[in-house]
Amino acid sequence: MSDNCQKVKLLKLHEILRTESDEQNPLTTGELLARLADCGISCDRRTLAKDMETLYSQGFEVMVRRVGH
């Protein structure tokens, strides 16, 4: 994936998280991947986890809840 595509993916992921989820209405990994796919952005679960960590490490509020571990 080109550097520009990665940036677009991170921006779109941030937008989805900001506009479509909150503490009371979290999105699952599958829902996030589907929303990205709807935007023409392919991503797998492991990459999504890394992208969420990137957003968090850059100061964006990203809350993760692990279920079933």
Side-chain angles (χ1 to χ4, degrees):
M1 177 178 291
S2 75
D3 191 43
N4 194 44
C5 289
Q6 175 66 10
K7 290 175 186 176
V8 169
K9 180 173 58 154
L10 287 171
L11 288 170
K12 188 48 117 173
L13 176 59
H14 179 256
E15 178 185 335
I16 292 166
L17 291 169
R18 185 177 52 78
T19 61
E20 299 185 36
S21 70
D22 58 30
E23 288 183 55
Q24 289 74 38
N25 301 291
L27 292 172
T28 66
T29 299
E31 290 169 330
L32 285 169
L33 292 172
R35 301 261 193 324
L36 289 170
D38 288 345
C39 298
I41 300 170
S42 64
C43 186
D44 62 39
R45 290 179 177 274
R46 288 174 49 181
T47 303
L48 179 62
K50 291 176 187 175
D51 290 340
M52 302 263 296
E53 178 59 35
T54 297
L55 288 173
Y56 180 78
S57 70
Q58 295 302 310
F60 294 97
E61 184 178 8
V62 177
M63 301 173 87
V64 177
R65 180 174 53 180
R66 305 225 189 282
V67 178
H69 287 85

